[in-house]
Amino acid sequence: MSDSGLPRMMTGAELASMLKSSVNFKSLGGMRSPVLTLPGSKKQWWRDCKVGMFIHWGLYSIVGRGEWVRFNEQIPDDEYEALTERFDGSGCDMREWASLAKDMGARYMVMVARHHDGFSLWDSPGSYKAFTSMNSAAHRDFIREYTDACHEAGLYTGIYYSNMDWRFPGYFDPEGKPESALRMKQQAYDQVRELCSRYGKVDILWYDGSWLAHKGSDTSAAWLWEPVKLNTMARSYNPDMLINPRSGWEGDFYCDEGSHEVKGSIIPVPWEKSMCICSGTSWGWIPNDPPLSLDRLITMLVNVIARDGNLLLNIGPRGDGSIPEEVAARAREFGAWLKENGEAVYGTRGGPVQPVDRVFGTTYHDNTIYFHILDRGAFQALGPVRMPFGMAENSVESVSIHGIPVDFAQEADTLSWEFPQGLREETDTIVTVTLSAPVRTADDPEIYFTGKE
Ligand code: GLC
């Protein structure tokens, strides 16, 4: 905090130069609202979770050419709407999705309730032209099934909602067709109310698509959406719900989207990387899109948590709601790795040692620091690690690899250890350093990224 008691303002350019980071936060510069700001203490559960599962599933999953297919291919309305006759959910069991999320090591889920195509996956009186899964071959309220499954499985429940909807001419021309734009806004208010009031506890509201006419960013159309009003209503049902920044309000955490590599220093605000588990860029199912390698996923996770973020991994079920076996298998492998190494992931924070790109990063919890070493040779070439605090206050009690103690040497503020001969090669070699006292770090700074250059 600055002397004024207000968060320090930081522009997008300053942020970029401070972090020298490859993350590209979306929706910077959202409206500010003291009424909506949650204290850091109410975000700790989310930061402890570290891993979430994202689900994109809708009519577009039947077509298999990405969730933007309706717009990209300018599919005529009647043709796209006729997909409802084939949307039967015959392979969809939300309990299986939730169980796969747990097997993947996710502690929360975020499911797309309505994407830009306008099709709602629940019994939604507010849906424009009643374009819902109740009026599809399935006749099911998938958000009911999903929220029940999350609650039963003990997963935190997140809902994705796209404010914009391509069916409204006013989306493309808000000034020329204000009535249509306002009708779209009405739908958003009605549907957010439904989603937040009818399905028990919602832990995360994950907006998307608040830009207009495919121009600007999520924050540039705040004049239309009035996000403070919208989110005050949403929070009236779930007072502690976390909300992402993509409705035009600054939100509770920052979002980095896509599978680009994460580099740079520790990011001093709550943030989340969302990306597809598959190698393509489509969030909705497309055929023959193989999952990323386990190695790639673990490396991404390490790079994210060492910079204090969460990883939201997206899965696109097929049109019938089933999850391709090779995708499920990779998700399980990832979860198996987390099961073995979760102590160095869950409930940790990024740091205290600044990461070195492609070489290592650290996470910590109480009096333990976990070194995640991605390139052992390069790590050793760096020499002893400089710790961010003096060893007199935090002396090292032990250093171990896979539970086996190794010899170490500590000096004023440096630490080094021996890697045992014949240690197996791994994507992430985790070295556990136990200190005599809890890791001391500064309080979370309160920073507001304005998004201005
Ligand atoms: C983008 C896309 C969308 C996808 C989302 C996921 O905003 O418009 O298709 O759902 O990213 O974060």
Side-chain angles (χ1 to χ4, degrees):
M1 287 239 192
S2 62
D3 293 343
S4 64
L6 291 169
R8 193 165 99 64
M9 296 283 186
M10 195 181 260
T11 67
E14 186 187 359
L15 167 69
S17 76
M18 178 188 87
L19 298 171
K20 299 215 176 0
S21 167
S22 61
V23 306
N24 184 9
F25 287 136
K26 291 220 149 190
S27 322
L28 295 177
M31 290 178 70
R32 313 218 59 221
S33 162
V35 185
L36 291 173
T37 303
L38 284 183
S41 58
K42 297 206 165 173
K43 304 181 192 178
Q44 299 306 327
W45 66 264
W46 181 83
R47 299 180 68 187
D48 286 345
C49 286
K50 294 293 169 201
V51 181
M53 182 188 272
F54 208 0
I55 299 263
H56 277 66
W57 181 57
L59 295 182
Y60 46 79
S61 315
I62 299 176
V63 185
R65 292 195 293 277
E67 74 287 354
W68 272 65
V69 71
R70 179 175 195 163
F71 175 78
N72 286 348
E73 299 183 14
Q74 291 295 307
I75 301 180
D77 291 352
D78 51 353
E79 200 182 305
Y80 194 78
E81 280 151 25
L83 291 168
T84 52
E85 289 156 30
R86 290 163 56 198
F87 193 72
D88 63 6
S90 55
C92 170
D93 178 348
M94 297 289 176
R95 287 203 173 101
E96 266 176 33
W97 292 8
S99 137
L100 182 64
K102 290 186 97 171
D103 288 350
M104 189 180 89
R107 304 242 158 132
Y108 61 99
M109 289 183 84
V110 179
M111 175 180 158
V112 172
R114 182 175 71 62
H115 206 267
H116 315 329
D117 65 351
F119 182 66
S120 300
L121 283 117
W122 75 100
D123 185 3
S124 173
S127 166
Y128 177 64
K129 294 194 179 163
F131 191 35
T132 77
S133 57
M134 298 305 287
N135 296 325
S136 73
H139 302 295
R140 281 160 68 181
D141 182 330
F142 290 109
I143 292 296
R144 164 76 58 213
E145 295 177 24
Y146 161 75
T147 48
D148 284 353
C150 283
H151 294 147
E152 266 172 47
L155 287 159
Y156 290 103
T157 311
I159 294 182
Y160 163 114
Y161 182 79
S162 163
N163 278 335
M164 68 96 138
D165 182 332
W166 289 314
R167 297 177 300 156
F168 292 90
Y171 163 72
F172 295 96
D173 182 10
E175 270 109 32
K177 300 189 171 82
E179 273 171 29
S180 167
L182 288 171
R183 181 66 191 82
M184 176 173 70
K185 176 183 182 181
Q186 184 61 47
Q187 174 181 254
Y189 274 70
D190 290 346
Q191 292 200 308
V192 167
R193 186 185 301 279
E194 290 164 18
L195 291 168
C196 292
S197 65
R198 297 178 161 203
Y199 297 98
K201 194 157 172 274
V202 177
D203 302 292
I204 305 160
L205 183 56
W206 212 104
Y207 288 104
D208 189 14
S210 300
W211 58 81
L212 288 173
H214 294 161
K215 291 196 202 97
S217 76
D218 292 300
T219 53
S220 54
W223 62 269
L224 174 71
W225 303 114
E226 299 185 84
V228 172
K229 191 167 137 195
L230 178 64
N231 289 309
T232 303
M233 177 272 285
R235 278 265 182 76
S236 71
Y237 301 104
N238 290 278
D240 293 340
M241 176 172 71
L242 264 58
I243 303 177
N244 82 344
R246 302 186 64 176
S247 64
W249 166 59
E250 68 168 321
D252 297 306
F253 56 89
Y254 288 84
C255 290
D256 175 47
E257 185 182 285
S259 52
H260 50 268
E261 189 180 8
V262 171
K263 295 196 274 189
S265 47
I266 300 165
I267 296 176
V269 288
W271 69 282
E272 180 188 66
K273 146 138 327 253
S274 53
M275 61 178 270
C276 304
I277 198 170
C278 290
S279 61
T281 50
S282 167
W283 300 80
W285 178 76
I286 49 171
N288 309 315
D289 185 10
L292 294 169
S293 68
L294 181 61
D295 187 68
R296 186 79 194 274
L297 294 174
I298 294 170
T299 303
M300 180 62 80
L301 177 69
V302 167
N303 285 334
V304 167
I305 60 176
R307 291 162 182 82
D308 212 13
N310 278 9
L311 180 64
L312 182 63
L313 262 187
N314 179 71
I315 284 182
R318 294 190 193 93
D320 68 358
S322 61
I323 295 175
E325 193 38 52
E326 55 172 353
V327 173
R330 182 70 82 249
R332 287 195 192 98
E333 279 179 284
F334 186 66
W337 184 87
L338 273 163
K339 201 158 193 192
E340 205 178 311
N341 300 290
E343 183 197 321
V345 178
Y346 301 117
T348 65
R349 295 291 176 269
V353 184
Q354 283 293 351
V356 174
D357 293 343
R358 298 188 181 169
V359 180
F360 83 102
T362 54
T363 53
Y364 70 93
H365 180 66
D366 289 339
N367 57 347
T368 307
I369 302 177
Y370 305 95
F371 281 76
H372 297 262
I373 301 172
L374 298 170
D375 182 336
R376 218 184 289 160
F379 179 81
Q380 284 174 291
L382 291 173
V385 184
R386 191 165 297 279
M387 303 295 260
F389 39 73
M391 289 295 169
E393 294 159 66
N394 275 58
S395 67
V396 174
E397 305 223 304
S398 68
V399 177
S400 63
I401 304 179
H402 299 308
I404 299 161
V406 296
D407 288 339
F408 64 92
Q410 64 174 104
E411 311 225 327
D413 64 351
T414 63
L415 173 67
S416 55
W417 58 82
E418 297 290 325
F419 285 98
Q421 291 287 323
L423 189 64
R424 68 173 191 261
E425 277 305 321
E426 284 179 282
T427 308
D428 176 14
T429 302
I430 300 177
V431 178
T432 305
V433 174
T434 311
L435 306 174
S436 57
V439 173
R440 274 194 309 118
T441 55
D443 288 343
D444 289 340
E446 270 201 57
I447 299 176
Y448 170 66
F449 301 143
T450 66
K452 294 195 192 84
E453 292 305 320

